[in-house]
Amino acid sequence: MTDPLYRIQAVSKLTGVPPATLRAWERRYGFPKPERTESAYRLYSNKQVQLIKQLKALCQQGLAPSEAVKLLQKEQFTLPNTAQNQVKAIVKSEQSPQETTTNTQPTTTSSPTIDYEQFTDLRNNLMGAVHRFDPVLLERYTRSALLQGSAKLIFDHIFAPVLVQIGQEWHDGILSIAQEHLATEVIGNAIRDLLRFVQPDQNAKQILLACVSGELHLLPLYGSAFHFIQWGYRVVVLGVNTPPEALKQSVMRLKPDAIGLSITYPKSFEQTRKELPNYLQACQGLPLIVGGSGAEQVADLLEDRDAVLAFGSPQNVKALFEARVARGVVS
Ligand code: B12
């Protein structure tokens, strides 16, 4: 157990559960089992306080304490290594001083006092709900995630790592298509809400974001949307699988200030390469930025085309992008 901090009275105050009930849960179900001081006082960790809050909430919704304890114990599985590493990488990038200097909006700035352990619990709970294929629990944990901090923080620390893990488990045959779809739908709705809430006002510059034809990886596009919002842009997300013709119509109609294309792993890179001139044409001289883990596959076609390849640190990409936007429409 990490950082045992709270005596039973403090836990009772924090959770609203009387000390007698906490002792009874421990006696009957061994859950949660606090450490003891030398003089045998109970000492609870942050994580245990969160578990007690969840146990209380489940009981209030009508579950017997024994059932609620079983449910919570089931959900305390650890993340596979790959996902854990990704979570760490994302947390690290969020904490790096370089990254924080790119924050231009107070609404999306991270705070040094964030309790990351709390996010681990939430991620595990969300994964538990997906494994159980329980839409009600999934919805509930998704909603509680929305209360955890700024939009970018929630996306980077909770929703993105969970969806990456879900994608990974789907790729590995652990999760079914139905489980993946349910999670993408519920968490996707929450991400779209977050994007709406943190958009700058109508006077801000606008960027149109789309995935190339045959590209179904939407999460990276959402990730890029949070970057653009941080940089002060309003984003319009066209979504996955957007052919050049559809982009062209949207550009003509919406008259954005810039266009962003996302490439992760489309159905055929050959098709993407073939269509790239049409995408460039669809932009009608407006600034184009191309990103995503598959963007390098078309990098050679972007040379001398006055388009930005999103490669390197966010600061670097931001500087390149702003320089291109400053040049405006080029024929
Ligand atoms: C989630 C996922 C899925 C989900 C997608 C859900 C969704 N709605 O997005 C599902 C399960 C549906 C899926 C399906 C497939 N997937 Co998949 N998927 C993944 C997974 C696990 C995570 C990708 C992700 O979302 N990362 C999170 C985001 C936030 O990452 P990001 O790229 O870092 O995004 C940032 C930057 O790239 C940048 N960025 C992105 N776009 C843009 C755009 C602009 C303009 C800018 C400036 C920046 C920018 O900003 C973002 C935020 O910082 C990866 C494996 C992995 N662990 O990475 C495989 C992975 C990408 N998938 C893969 C494959 C092969 C597929 C399938 C083709 C499999 C199949 N046989 O059917 C299908 C179909 C996809 C298709 N045709 O498009 C492969 C690709 C292989 C490769 N060589 O690259 C991977 C790598 C898995 C693997 N190891 O084989 N997948």
Side-chain angles (χ1 to χ4, degrees):
M1 190 174 71
T2 54
D3 64 60
L5 292 173
Y6 306 103
R7 299 272 278 266
I8 196 162
Q9 295 298 341
V11 175
S12 177
K13 269 198 189 139
L14 286 169
T15 60
V17 177
T21 309
L22 291 172
R23 288 191 208 97
W25 283 346
E26 188 187 344
R27 198 170 53 247
R28 287 183 203 143
Y29 316 115
F31 186 91
K33 211 169 177 46
E35 282 191 0
R36 301 273 184 156
T37 63
E38 273 176 15
S39 30
Y41 288 117
R42 290 173 174 81
L43 273 185
Y44 295 81
S45 70
N46 251 329
K47 188 171 177 175
Q48 288 175 326
V49 172
Q50 299 307 322
L51 283 171
I52 292 164
K53 283 184 188 168
Q54 288 166 18
L55 183 51
K56 181 185 166 197
L58 289 170
C59 292
Q60 282 171 341
Q61 279 147 27
L63 250 70
S66 57
E67 285 168 343
V69 166
K70 268 189 214 147
L71 181 63
L72 288 172
Q73 277 171 334
K74 247 191 198 166
E75 287 171 8
Q76 298 307 303
F77 59 84
T78 49
L79 297 170
N81 274 340
T82 47
Q84 241 168 11
N85 289 342
Q86 284 185 13
V87 170
K88 275 184 206 148
I90 291 170
V91 170
K92 209 169 151 205
S93 84
E94 182 78 25
Q95 288 170 325
S96 89
Q98 278 181 324
E99 169 67 31
T100 49
T101 58
T102 66
N103 283 334
T104 51
Q105 288 217 324
T107 45
T108 51
T109 304
S110 67
S111 148
T113 57
I114 304 280
D115 176 1
Y116 290 105
E117 198 181 321
Q118 195 177 319
F119 294 144
T120 310
D121 290 344
L122 249 175
R123 285 191 296 261
N124 286 342
N125 289 341
L126 282 162
M127 285 308 299
V130 176
H131 279 258
R132 292 163 56 85
F133 198 56
D134 185 331
V136 176
L137 256 192
L138 183 59
E139 190 74 53
R140 185 176 324 133
Y141 289 132
T142 302
R143 274 161 197 260
S144 76
L146 290 172
L147 304 173
Q148 303 303 314
S150 74
K152 190 161 187 329
L153 197 86
I154 295 166
F155 179 82
D156 285 351
H157 292 272
I158 304 174
F159 292 153
V162 165
L163 288 175
V164 167
Q165 190 182 350
I166 288 166
Q168 202 68 64
E169 292 192 7
W170 174 81
H171 280 282
D172 297 343
I174 298 166
L175 287 179
S176 68
I177 290 181
Q179 284 170 309
E180 189 278 329
H181 277 21
L182 177 71
T184 301
E185 177 62 17
V186 174
I187 301 175
N189 280 340
I191 293 174
R192 284 183 283 277
D193 279 345
L194 280 180
L195 284 173
R196 263 198 303 278
F197 294 151
V198 296
Q199 290 270 26
D201 65 29
Q202 303 284 347
N203 299 325
K205 286 200 166 107
Q206 178 174 269
I207 183 161
L208 205 58
L209 295 176
C211 295
V212 294
S213 297
E215 177 62 77
L216 301 181
H217 291 93
L218 180 60
L219 189 59
L221 189 71
Y222 282 152
S224 76
F226 283 103
H227 285 299
F228 288 113
I229 289 174
Q230 264 196 320
W231 300 345
Y233 281 77
R234 270 188 85 76
V235 298
V236 175
V237 180
L238 292 181
V240 296
N241 196 15
T242 308
E245 189 52 33
L247 182 68
K248 188 177 172 186
Q249 283 166 8
S250 314
V251 169
M252 281 159 60
R253 183 78 196 265
L254 299 173
K255 304 193 184 339
D257 298 281
I259 295 124
L261 277 181
S262 181
I263 310 175
T264 299
Y265 194 75
K267 205 165 172 203
S268 148
F269 276 114
E270 205 183 318
Q271 186 191 352
T272 310
R273 291 180 62 83
K274 259 194 205 148
E275 287 186 342
L276 203 70
N278 303 343
Y279 281 113
L280 283 156
Q281 206 191 10
C283 294
Q284 307 185 7
L286 285 161
L288 169 68
I289 177 163
V290 182
S293 58
E296 264 191 295
Q297 302 277 346
V298 300
D300 56 319
L301 303 176
L302 294 175
E303 273 170 27
D304 308 324
R305 298 304 302 260
D306 220 352
V308 177
L309 182 68
F311 190 67
S313 69
Q315 302 70 5
N316 194 24
V317 174
K318 185 179 179 226
L320 289 171
F321 177 62
E322 283 179 346
R324 173 61 192 89
V325 171
R327 287 200 298 280
V329 179
V330 291
S331 48

